[in-house]
Amino acid sequence: EQDSRSSLNCLLKKRKEVQEMEKIRAEKDKAFRERMKVIADRWRDLHTKRAQLKAHVERSGRTVQECEELRIQALKKNSEQREEMKKHGELLRAKMELEALSKKHQKLCKKVQKYSIFKKYLEDVVKVSQFEDISEVTSQYKLLVRIQKDLLQSQQGHKQLTEQDKVFLEQYRAKKEAEMFHYKNELVQLKLRFDQAQSDIPLWEARWAGIQNRTSTKTRKLWTIKLAIHNLYQ
């Protein structure tokens, strides 16, 4: 009976442990199913986001391609506009050059007309002069022009030399006048010194006479002393 009771207690205990284990397993299964549900939800969200991202990438790709096409079209249009502006500028420059050439042509026509009149005049000159043709007249004219130019240059050079000579003469005259003024001052100083020397001559002559008198007196005294010494020796 005791063994039956202990066996029953063991069975009850094991049954209780089994129930607890089944409860824990059921809780783990429930947590696992919930976790799997969360993972499945996340997977669906990721799949949805991936599909959305793919669609966005495709739309962005189409947008980028459209922007690139628009950029290429804008560059092409800008290049065409620049080319058109360049052609327009070249056209304006050509038009301006044409106008300048037209004005130059008009001036040349007027000059040709004047030269034709002048040529007719030269032909008349040749007829009434000793020249044989127009080239000889023009050569003689160029020679005269060159001679006149040389004369003008020589006159101008002579004038410059004359002006330089005048300047040099004025400088030389000013220099000599300054030297003469200096010499005049020196002459005045020398004359003053000469006058002073002449006024000092009587004084020096009197001094010289006094010196000669003193010298004569001392000489006589010296001879007297010499004679006295000579007499003493004798």
Side-chain angles (χ1 to χ4, degrees), residues 139-151:
S139 299
Q140 186 67 23
Y141 174 75
K142 290 179 181 178
L143 178 61
L144 292 174
V145 170
R146 187 166 59 253
I147 291 171
Q148 184 181 7
K149 185 178 179 181
D150 293 337
L151 288 173

Side-chain angles (χ1 to χ4, degrees), residues 197-213:
Q198 282 185 341
S199 62
D200 292 339
I201 286 174
L203 178 62
W204 287 106
E205 287 178 349
R207 289 182 180 180
W208 177 248
I211 291 170
Q212 286 181 344
N213 292 328

Side-chain angles (χ1 to χ4, degrees), residues 71-108:
R71 188 179 71 84
I72 292 171
Q73 290 178 1
L75 289 174
K76 186 177 180 181
K77 186 175 181 181
N78 192 12
S79 177
E80 290 176 354
Q81 289 179 354
R82 284 200 302 270
E83 188 68 24
E84 186 177 357
M85 290 177 66
K86 184 178 178 181
K87 290 181 179 179
H88 184 66
E90 291 178 354
L91 182 62
L92 287 176
R93 284 195 297 272
K95 187 176 180 181
M96 291 173 66
E97 290 178 357
L98 182 61
E99 290 179 355
L101 289 173
S102 178
K103 292 180 180 179
K104 190 174 181 181
H105 177 70
Q106 291 178 0
K107 290 181 180 180
L108 289 174

Side-chain angles (χ1 to χ4, degrees), residues 122-141 143-144:
L122 290 177
E123 289 176 352
D124 295 336
V125 170
V126 171
K127 289 178 182 180
V128 297
S129 64
Q130 71 275 16
F131 299 106
E132 296 180 356
D133 53 6
I134 295 175
S135 61
E136 189 175 355
V137 176
T138 55
S139 299
Q140 186 67 23
Y141 174 75
L143 178 61
L144 292 174

